[in-house]
Amino acid sequence: MRVPLSWLREYVDVAPEATPDDVFAALVSVGFEEEELIEFGISGPVVVGRVLSFDEEPQSNGKTIRWCQVDVGEANGGVRGIVCGAHNFAADDKVVVTLPGAVLPGPFPIAARKTYGHVSDGMIASARELGLGDEHNGILILAELGIDAPVGADAIALLGLDDVAVDINVTPDRGYAFSLRGVAREYSHATGAAFRDPAERDFAELQPGTGFTAIVEDRAPIRGNTGATEFVTRVVRGVDPSRPTPPWMIARLSLAGMRSLGVLIDITNYVMLELGNPVHGYDLDKLDGTIVIRRAEQGEKMVTLDGQERTLHPEDLLITDGSGPIGLAGVMGGGTTEMSASTRNVLVEAATFDPTTIARSARRHKLPSEASKRFERGVDPLIPFVAARRVADLMVSLAGGSLTDEGGALYAEVEIAGIDLPGGFVQGLIGVDYADDEVTAALQRIGAEVADSETGSGWFVIPPSWRPDLTDKWTLAEEVARLHGFDRIPSVLPTPPSGRGLTALQQGRRRVANALAAAGLVETPAFPFTTQEQNDLHGSASGERLPGVRLANALDGQAPYLRRSLIPGLLQIAHRNIARGLVDLAVFETGAVFLPEPGVTYGTDEVPPLGEKPSDDTLAALNASIPPQATHVAALFTGHVTVRQPGRAAEEFGLSEALDAVRVIADAAGVRIDVAQGARTALHPGRTGVLTVADASTGSAVEIGYVGELHPQVAADADLPGRAVVLEIDLDRALALAGERVVAASLSTYPAATQDVSLVIDAGVPAAQVGAALSEGAGELLESVRLVDDYRGEGVPAGSKSLSFALRFRADDRTLTAAEATEAKLAGVAVATERFGARIRD
């Protein structure tokens, strides 16, 4: 909200010596945020001048300039020669002259310079050059603004260009502060300065008369709230829309961020900024019959003031007459009844609309107007009568109109629910020992009515009409703390309750993420949205169609499904980085995947009410409406693990790096992950591994994920230029299989005995299963078994392979002999022979 200081001073006593920084400090103390200082950016000699004469001189470029003689007053050098390209002025017109040394917005310094064969000793300014609007077709003629000032007078002060505005950020719950009235009241709270409410008027003069009462026909109110509860109209006849808007009003509107659009529209905008209630003016002669407020019909259309034809939604609230829609209520007026240069009679409308209705319409049609910004936050329901009369008065005084007895008022009784505020509640919640008088004084300062509670302890508080955000005792306590200063609240660290902290599952997730980052991978969170095709491809081994969760209001219409796998997001991240020149990538993500069960419908239309804790049954129903969400960890490698350098060729990422990442995850999770050959549609045939963990409770292997090289076609479809290797693990399942506590094995002080064994076996038998058989048969003496070679060729029968394993044996209580190690090795070979027909290679 931009607040011109000259305007603020009309409603609150701002000290003459107060600087903009002082005003900022006062407003920040009551909860606003400082944004920036708004200035016109004009300095130096800018004066009133009179055009004495001019000569029109055609130029070789086809342009005709005027060589003008302009009187700027004896104190400013008398008559000056100025070159001007505009042609909308005549001799004896008074204009604004910027003399050498002046600086205009931009900044644009003015100096005497030679142009078109003359030395131009200054510049005659247009409205846009002065920052007073977008008009640049001609210079600013003071008579058109109703100004007749002496030659040589200071034009900066004359036009209000010496004013400044403070820009503050207003939080969504404080819509009343989108007005000078609201900000002036808050400044009064902060400084104790006297506040003059611009809405205080005699009730009798606010009565609008008869003949133009609107009708509300809301057959489908949202959440039971009628679309319009107040609709006040007044009629002003005989207005002259060609009259100039006063400079002071143009300056204030400009500082507030609004451009001048003609005196009639400027008046409605001015009152909106002043009182916080948006006001609309209709060309009365264009209206057709009675005004009706209703919801839109399905497929109904209207043209708004911006010239756009809009298809309406049944929830949209419309202002209509006999011709159809003439306004999208609370958002933007219609083009058929807008005020224009031909308008002579005006119907002024000030209303109160349902905030939810206006908010939805503004977002649906992408029309975040100044009006909708105020209505969706809630306006003071007692203001429409005042706002309509204020606009009418200004149209009389500035546009030459006459206020008639015509008008109408549709209104409902304003009922504001009282709040019980127990004694001691504010002190206990805020942690400050406020006196009871301080509590009641703060509430009365914001405009609340405070009475003793009937229970004998505490108060019964009725919030002011302009504060719809005050709904309970907690919000009242916040107001007390705000007005008495947040600096009074002590800084005390709370004592954490015992037995809290991260769960074992949360700790495990963090360990895995930290371990991968420490191993050199970069964590890259992605959006959890994808397509049905990507879900099918990466969410199942076979690529079959699986159930997915489709979002009703997706951020990206091309990716409306929640992901079943993390791989699609990593592919997008890799593509984006490669497109920007980052081609060597090792990235990972830990995040939720969404795994709906077949035949189950998820989601609910039942939204629990705000302000109260849902019951256990409600929470259970909400949880049941959400699909199962497991936390996965996935990684992607592409490009080079080491780049080309002197004496060493570049090395591409491959399965070995992905398997190293699997081992890092296994160590951090506290499990042993086994790898066996597998197959997935999205991965390269023969270069895919299935990851399993042994379930200690059943002794069976549980599949927890996969690792492998992307199928070349899948990589090409993802616009990856080379090989890409991926892995994905169900992290929650892996951590669950690890148990609650991981016990580190003791270290033996005795030396190890190492032996190798090469086994010839059928080529279809996975090496992991052979290694498991060796480990099982060798018993407790075997410390580790590692595959070191897979040979297929000369000396090995066709259809077979030779697997070489490095075995390490160790005992806890003695040094093993070679015979003991050999005996354990042969026991392992015996098990492999029994299960797979393995034999020791000659």
Side-chain angles (χ1 to χ4, degrees):
M1 175 67 186
R2 296 181 173 187
V3 184
L5 294 192
S6 66
W7 203 351
L8 180 68
R9 285 187 164 94
E10 290 189 7
Y11 310 130
V12 65
D13 291 339
V14 179
E17 67 275 10
T19 66
D21 286 340
D22 296 332
V23 176
F24 270 131
L27 295 176
V28 167
S29 72
V30 286
F32 296 109
E33 296 178 8
E34 176 181 342
E35 292 289 337
E36 61 177 326
L37 180 67
I38 310 297
E39 300 177 283
F40 282 105
I42 298 178
S43 62
V46 181
V47 301
V48 175
R50 183 194 305 275
V51 179
L52 301 178
S53 64
F54 57 83
D55 296 319
E56 295 193 347
E57 299 180 357
Q59 304 297 312
S60 58
N61 60 4
K63 182 178 180 181
T64 298
I65 61 99
R66 286 182 173 183
W67 172 239
C68 307
Q69 300 302 310
V70 184
D71 181 10
V72 294
E74 290 299 327
N76 299 306
V79 178
R80 301 210 182 199
I82 298 175
V83 173
C84 184
H87 300 83
N88 66 317
F89 60 92
D92 208 39
D93 279 343
K94 287 185 177 179
V95 294
V96 176
V97 180
T98 57
L99 300 176
V103 178
L104 296 183
F108 178 47
I110 303 299
R113 63 189 183 94
K114 187 174 182 180
T115 179
Y116 294 110
H118 302 281
V119 175
S120 184
D121 199 15
M123 185 181 77
I124 306 175
S126 69
R128 189 170 74 176
E129 289 163 342
L130 294 172
L132 289 175
D134 295 332
E135 180 61 43
H136 196 57
N137 295 326
I139 65 169
L140 184 67
I141 300 174
L142 295 179
E144 294 179 355
L145 299 179
I147 297 176
D148 184 15
V151 171
D154 181 9
I156 293 179
L158 182 70
L159 298 175
L161 302 179
D162 54 349
D163 199 4
V164 298
V166 293
D167 188 8
I168 56 174
N169 181 35
V170 178
T171 54
D173 60 327
R174 300 173 71 183
Y176 67 94
F178 280 111
S179 68
L180 267 295
R181 179 193 185 212
V183 175
R185 179 181 279 109
E186 289 297 328
Y187 185 85
S188 172
H189 296 336
T191 63
F195 168 67
R196 296 172 292 279
D197 191 349
E200 283 189 1
R201 299 190 63 161
D202 182 30
F203 185 74
E205 67 179 9
L206 300 179
Q207 301 310 301
T210 59
F212 287 92
T213 301
I215 300 173
V216 175
E217 295 180 353
D218 188 358
R219 297 186 177 89
I222 296 178
R223 298 179 183 173
N225 296 321
T226 303
T229 53
E230 290 188 65
F231 198 91
V232 179
T233 59
R234 311 248 2 187
V235 174
V236 181
R237 295 187 179 274
V239 297
D240 181 3
S242 66
R243 285 198 179 187
T245 302
W248 57 266
M249 181 177 284
I250 295 177
R252 288 179 176 181
L253 290 174
S254 297
L255 286 174
M258 307 187 78
R259 59 192 180 96
S260 177
L261 297 172
V263 65
L264 299 181
I265 298 176
D266 289 349
I267 287 171
T268 60
N269 287 336
Y270 185 85
V271 172
M272 176 184 68
L273 294 171
E274 180 180 66
L275 299 176
N277 196 132
V279 184
H280 188 68
Y282 302 89
D283 189 323
L284 181 61
D285 298 322
K286 297 178 183 178
L287 287 175
D288 181 8
T290 302
I291 291 179
V292 178
I293 301 103
R294 61 171 174 83
R295 300 284 172 176
E297 303 292 340
Q298 185 68 45
E300 193 170 7
K301 299 178 184 293
M302 73 166 291
V303 177
T304 46
L305 284 174
D306 57 2
Q308 299 293 316
E309 183 179 66
R310 303 185 183 276
T311 300
L312 304 173
H313 187 277
E315 283 189 355
D316 290 333
L317 191 68
L318 301 180
I319 312 298
T320 68
D321 66 1
S323 65
I326 59 174
L328 187 56
V331 180
M332 185 173 285
T336 59
T337 58
E338 67 175 315
M339 296 183 294
S340 65
S342 62
T343 299
R344 293 296 176 265
N345 304 306
V346 177
L347 179 73
V348 178
E349 166 238 302
T352 302
F353 297 115
D354 171 47
T356 302
T357 296
I358 305 309
R360 291 185 180 181
S361 290
R363 284 156 180 75
R364 184 181 300 116
H365 296 286
K366 297 180 174 61
L367 275 176
S369 63
E370 290 290 332
S372 66
K373 180 169 67 176
R374 288 162 173 80
F375 278 125
E376 66 188 24
R377 289 165 171 79
V379 301
D380 186 350
L382 301 182
I383 281 294
F385 285 88
V386 180
R389 179 58 189 256
R390 174 68 167 148
V391 168
D393 288 344
L394 288 174
M395 286 188 177
V396 170
S397 61
L398 302 181
S402 298
L403 180 60
T404 71
D405 292 333
E406 302 165 285
L410 171 72
Y411 60 92
E413 292 295 330
V414 178
E415 296 181 0
I416 302 174
I419 303 169
D420 286 313
L421 181 62
F425 174 79
V426 174
Q427 295 88 334
L429 180 68
I430 304 301
V432 176
D433 190 18
Y434 297 113
D436 287 351
D437 289 345
E438 289 182 295
V439 174
T440 57
L443 296 177
Q444 289 168 344
R445 281 167 59 193
I446 65 172
E449 297 180 17
V450 183
D452 292 336
S453 174
E454 294 181 357
T455 62
S457 175
W459 304 273
F460 183 74
V461 182
I462 301 178
S465 59
W466 56 86
R467 294 297 303 272
D469 58 307
L470 302 181
T471 57
D472 50 44
K473 57 185 178 182
W474 291 275
T475 52
L476 294 179
E478 181 182 337
E479 287 299 291
V480 174
R482 184 175 69 87
L483 292 190
H484 284 300
F486 291 126
D487 55 331
R488 287 186 61 179
I489 303 175
S491 298
V492 179
L493 288 176
T495 303
S498 60
R500 302 294 178 89
L502 298 178
T503 64
L505 193 61
Q506 292 169 331
Q507 291 175 351
R509 292 170 181 168
R510 290 197 178 187
R511 283 199 309 271
V512 168
N514 291 338
L516 287 172
L521 283 78
V522 177
E523 187 170 11
T524 55
F527 285 117
F529 313 121
T530 187
T531 64
Q532 179 70 62
E533 292 72 19
Q534 289 291 306
N535 264 344
D536 296 341
L537 180 61
H538 297 284
S540 68
S542 62
E544 62 183 303
R545 175 58 57 91
L546 295 174
V549 178
R550 184 183 179 94
L551 298 175
N553 188 21
L555 288 177
D556 183 354
Q558 296 181 343
Y561 286 87
L562 292 175
R563 64 190 178 189
R564 294 184 63 95
S565 166
L566 302 182
I567 298 301
L570 291 178
L571 292 176
Q572 291 182 352
I573 289 169
H575 167 67
R576 189 176 301 114
N577 280 272
I578 290 172
R580 287 159 175 76
L582 302 175
V583 295
D584 302 321
L585 299 172
V587 296
F588 78 96
E589 179 184 4
T590 58
V593 296
F594 305 86
L595 308 172
E597 299 174 358
V600 179
T601 301
Y602 296 98
T604 178
D605 294 330
E606 298 295 328
V607 179
L610 300 176
E612 62 182 61
K613 181 181 178 181
S615 65
D616 292 341
D617 291 341
T618 301
L619 291 174
L622 290 173
N623 288 330
S625 69
I626 301 173
Q629 300 176 37
T631 298
H632 282 201
V633 58
L636 180 145
F637 304 84
T638 187
H640 296 95
V641 61
T642 57
V643 297
R644 180 182 176 183
Q645 48 194 300
R648 183 173 182 179
E651 296 181 21
E652 284 189 314
F653 279 112
L655 279 172
S656 59
E657 284 72 35
L659 290 172
D660 283 341
V662 170
R663 284 188 281 271
V664 169
I665 294 170
D667 290 342
V671 295
R672 173 182 170 179
I673 298 179
D674 296 317
V675 185
Q677 193 169 30
R680 291 183 73 89
T681 301
L683 302 185
H684 195 297
R687 301 178 187 175
T688 302
V690 176
L691 306 178
T692 59
V693 172
D695 187 344
S697 62
T698 64
S700 61
V702 178
E703 183 175 337
I704 63 165
Y706 59 89
V707 62
E709 181 181 326
L710 274 184
H711 193 288
Q713 186 59 52
V714 174
D717 291 342
D719 294 325
L720 302 185
R723 175 190 300 178
V725 184
V726 297
L727 69 91
E728 183 165 15
I729 293 174
D730 186 338
L731 185 55
D732 285 349
R733 181 176 295 182
L735 292 171
L737 292 170
E740 294 185 358
R741 179 174 298 178
V742 178
V743 180
S746 60
L747 299 177
S748 174
T749 59
Y750 294 95
T754 59
Q755 295 200 11
D756 296 334
V757 63
S758 295
L759 300 177
V760 178
I761 200 165
D762 185 272
V765 178
Q769 295 184 13
V770 179
L774 288 173
S775 179
E776 181 180 338
E780 295 181 354
L781 293 180
L782 181 65
E783 187 175 77
S784 72
V785 55
R786 180 168 56 89
L787 179 68
V788 295
D789 188 35
D790 183 337
Y791 175 73
R792 311 176 195 209
E794 185 178 352
V796 176
S800 299
K801 60 183 177 182
S802 173
L803 300 178
S804 297
F805 295 90
L807 309 177
R808 185 169 69 237
F809 300 92
R810 195 193 308 266
D812 293 335
D813 56 352
R814 67 189 187 280
T815 300
L816 290 178
T817 64
E820 288 178 306
T822 300
E823 181 181 357
K825 177 185 73 173
L826 294 177
V829 171
V831 174
T833 301
E834 178 183 352
R835 291 184 181 175
F836 309 114
R839 64 179 178 84
I840 296 179
R841 182 181 174 187
D842 297 333

